[in-house]
Amino acid sequence: MGSTITQKILSSHCAREEVIPGEFIMARVDFLLANDITAPVAIEEFEKAGADKVFASDRIALVLDHFTPAKDIKSAEQARFVREFARKRKIKYFFKEGKGIEHALIPEEGLALPGEVIIGADSHTCTYGALGAFATGVGSTDAAFAMMKGEIWLKVPETIKFVYSGKLRQWVSGKDLILFTIGNIGVNGANYCAMELSGEAIENLSQDSRFTMANMAIEAGAKSCIIEPDRITQDYLRNVPEIEGRSAVDYKSDSDAVYKNILRYNVGEIEPQVALPPSPGNVKPVSEVNSINIDQAVIGSCTNGRIEDLRIAAKVLEGKKAHEYVRLIIIPATEKVYHKALREGLIEIFISSGAIVSPPTCGPCIGGHMGVLGKGEKAVATTNRNFTGRMGHPESEIYLCNPAVAAASAIKGRISSPEGLESKV
Amino acid sequence: MSKLRGKVWKFGNNINTDDIIPAIYLVTTDEKELAKHCFEGLRPELLEKIKSGDIIMAGENFGCGSSREHAPKALKGLGVSCVAAKSFARIFYRNAINIGLPIVECPAICDETSEGDTVEIEFEKGIAKNLTRKREYRFVIYPEFLQEIISAGGLMKYGRSSENV
């Protein structure tokens, strides 16, 4: 009986020939991360346990990205607490405010590689599966334990395989495929499972769109999401820094691997999708929801703040203005993305369209700052969650969509398809 | 935590960690501080009525969404003795195990219990009782590995006590 790519990675990290779904293992951790919200709890647990040192100071990242630059005094104190720990413990990958949103930043810095086990005290850590790593979100105490031991306890997940065939329509990207999938299987449709994405449409999908898809696997309850490394993965990795002591191992699922389920979709039938509040599983095609007026549009986050996302937004926004009553907030996910957008002239397009361009931060996605919603306000957002009150007031609403739909909606003042809005320049 | 008893507060399916503790309050690690905002948007009246030892009972996928350990911490700070649900989201599940918040997966009792009922849970025997309705239910006890973490007093103590892991 064959193994899935997920089983192979996990067995290689607990010195076993093979692992079986359902069994508990202690797996070696190649890299772990925490942020300004989850690290303080992890650090407290780490210190409380009397640990004398971290297992490896070059295998840990602490990223100040959630309430940063500090939204208030308490947030500033939390960031300071993390910074002091990073300094004291000589944590090699300490990323200060503005460097980037963790799940865009870590791969960009070469810190997530195929075949690795990566854990993060943040639910969207599953993003790195887009490079063929086993990556999963855990809690702060898990992160503290891993900081101490370099290990994580895991129940080996079953895998659900998703096969995407066909060619993407115009304005359809990874965001639409994953929203469509979550809409299809539900917000607990992949609970405790690994999602394995495959098929012609995935093989042809850009790395940025792959990150977007893997990022939202948690929204279907998945433990992890994985795409077998291929030519597109390798092209991406050629352009990131090489890290000493780290190396990629490309695994593939065996042809006789056992899956919990195999689901097939023809992407040619999928138009841009919108997830209506209050659930990422409440998904409809944009053509069915285009009469809803909006107050804000957010383009950014660990889901859709990468360069491809900004290029798409610019394509829609070029030479146009955001609606006079709509706040358009654009958040490049990392310093490098920001810089690239600047050099490509995208920031010029955004400012000319009346957008607010924010420094890299999670900010509005978690209702922190940089675009919090008031009572009764509605927003389109390229973020990942539209839970009640997630972006601000409990009576505000979030509609999740791709960057093209967000940009088009910002122009029209209502949820809108980007059809016909493409710049003619 | 071999046996505990408490009054039930009922919740529906897919209760997410933003419902349990909105992100805006994640500026502290203190359980009691977090508890002040527990379920604030979803059931603002609960905070005044809930008593130490009470039980939260929910439907499917309790604790979905963000990985924030502040969610089980807030419930602990509130004095919740146990969360019973039809199923749990995986990060919430492991966080609860790791920090010692008792949780029980028992769909049958969640279906047949109303808010305000008194429930008793015997963890080691895998028995849940609705004392108000005089009904008894079985649930699958924790796998051995998780029992070791629980009996050590949480993951960090387990890590310190067993150098063989």
Side-chain angles (χ1 to χ4, degrees), chain A residues 5 8-9 12-13 28 30 112-117 131-134 226-229 233-234 237 246-252:
Chain A
I5 176 172
K8 288 183 185 182
I9 296 172
S12 74
H13 283 72
R28 182 169 54 75
D30 292 302
L113 294 175
E116 292 192 320
V117 167
L131 290 171
F134 174 85
I226 200 155
I227 297 171
E228 289 179 353
T233 325
Q234 282 146 16
L237 292 173
R246 306 274 295 272
S247 56
V249 184
D250 293 358
Y251 292 98
K252 286 196 184 314

Side-chain angles (χ1 to χ4, degrees), chain A residues 37 44 49 67 78 122-123 136-142 149 151-153 191-192 223 366 385 387 390, chain B residues 14 16 18 23 26-29 61 65-67 69-70 88 90-91 94-95 98 145 155 159-160 163 165:
Chain A
I37 287 179
E44 276 182 8
F67 290 154
Q78 291 209 127
D122 188 281
S123 61
T136 190
V138 297
S140 293
T141 298
D142 283 312
K149 297 270 190 184
E151 291 180 315
I152 179 85
W153 69 265
N191 260 11
Y192 293 86
K223 172 173 248 164
I366 41 164
R385 291 189 178 128
F387 299 155
R390 170 93 174 172
Chain B
N14 300 316
N16 65 64
D18 279 84
L26 308 181
V27 288
T28 175
T29 59
N61 205 24
S66 151
S67 69
E69 206 162 285
H70 309 69
F88 290 90
R90 51 163 288 273
I91 306 179
R94 61 184 301 135
N95 283 344
N98 288 345
F145 176 77
L155 183 64
R160 293 309 277 175
E163 288 310 326
V165 287

Side-chain angles (χ1 to χ4, degrees), chain A residues 30-68:
Chain A
D30 292 302
F31 200 70
L32 75 104
L33 64 144
N35 57 53
D36 53 304
I37 287 179
T38 59
V41 178
I43 292 166
E44 276 182 8
E45 289 300 324
F46 180 86
E47 303 284 13
K48 217 160 66 188
D52 40 10
K53 58 178 176 40
V54 297
F55 86 105
S57 58
D58 61 350
R59 299 276 177 161
I60 300 168
L62 295 172
V63 189
L64 305 183
D65 61 353
H66 274 61
F67 290 154
T68 56

Side-chain angles (χ1 to χ4, degrees), chain A residues 157-369:
Chain A
E158 292 184 291
T159 296
I160 304 174
K161 186 173 179 172
F162 296 81
V163 185
Y164 298 85
S165 63
K167 287 209 163 47
L168 295 180
R169 292 199 211 174
Q170 198 194 9
W171 302 118
V172 171
S173 59
K175 181 61 163 287
D176 305 294
L177 302 192
I178 193 65
L179 285 178
F180 181 86
T181 305
I182 299 164
N184 184 255
I185 64 174
V187 291
N188 57 359
N191 260 11
Y192 293 86
C193 293
M195 293 171 71
E196 189 175 313
L197 312 184
S198 64
E200 172 199 357
I202 300 297
E203 285 159 23
N204 293 321
L205 197 65
S206 69
Q207 189 58 48
D208 279 1
S209 254
R210 291 179 180 187
F211 282 128
T212 302
M213 289 192 76
N215 174 273
M216 287 193 72
I218 179 68
E219 264 49 79
K223 172 173 248 164
S224 57
C225 180
I226 200 155
I227 297 171
E228 289 179 353
D230 62 6
R231 184 181 45 79
I232 288 173
T233 325
Q234 282 146 16
D235 285 347
Y236 178 86
L237 292 173
R238 258 194 290 281
N239 292 306
V240 303
E242 215 169 294
I243 306 292
E244 202 190 324
R246 306 274 295 272
S247 56
V249 184
D250 293 358
Y251 292 98
K252 286 196 184 314
S253 292
D254 292 327
S255 56
D256 58 345
V258 177
Y259 294 97
K260 185 184 181 192
N261 200 357
I262 300 178
L263 294 168
R264 295 172 198 279
Y265 303 114
N266 181 353
V267 304
E269 293 165 6
I270 298 173
E271 66 168 285
Q273 305 285 305
V274 177
L276 280 60
S279 163
N282 195 8
V283 176
K284 290 200 167 132
V286 66
S287 56
E288 289 178 26
V289 286
N290 57 13
S291 61
I292 296 163
N293 291 329
I294 58 159
D295 304 284
Q296 177 165 301
V298 177
I299 299 172
S301 84
C302 61
T303 311
N304 280 120
R306 297 181 183 80
I307 194 67
E308 173 185 283
D309 304 311
L310 301 190
R311 284 175 188 150
I312 292 169
K315 219 171 177 180
V316 177
L317 289 166
E318 186 163 21
K320 300 183 192 68
K321 291 273 181 206
H323 188 275
E324 77 173 305
Y325 292 120
V326 174
R327 299 180 294 276
L328 169 58
I329 298 166
I330 301 179
I331 311 173
T334 67
E335 188 181 86
K336 282 183 184 165
V337 169
Y338 203 137
H339 210 170
K340 208 180 264 182
L342 191 66
R343 286 194 301 256
E344 291 183 14
L346 309 183
I347 304 293
E348 173 71 34
I349 293 169
F350 297 153
I351 306 279
S352 300
S353 74
I356 302 162
V357 182
S358 145
T361 180
C362 303
C365 176
I366 41 164
H369 61 339

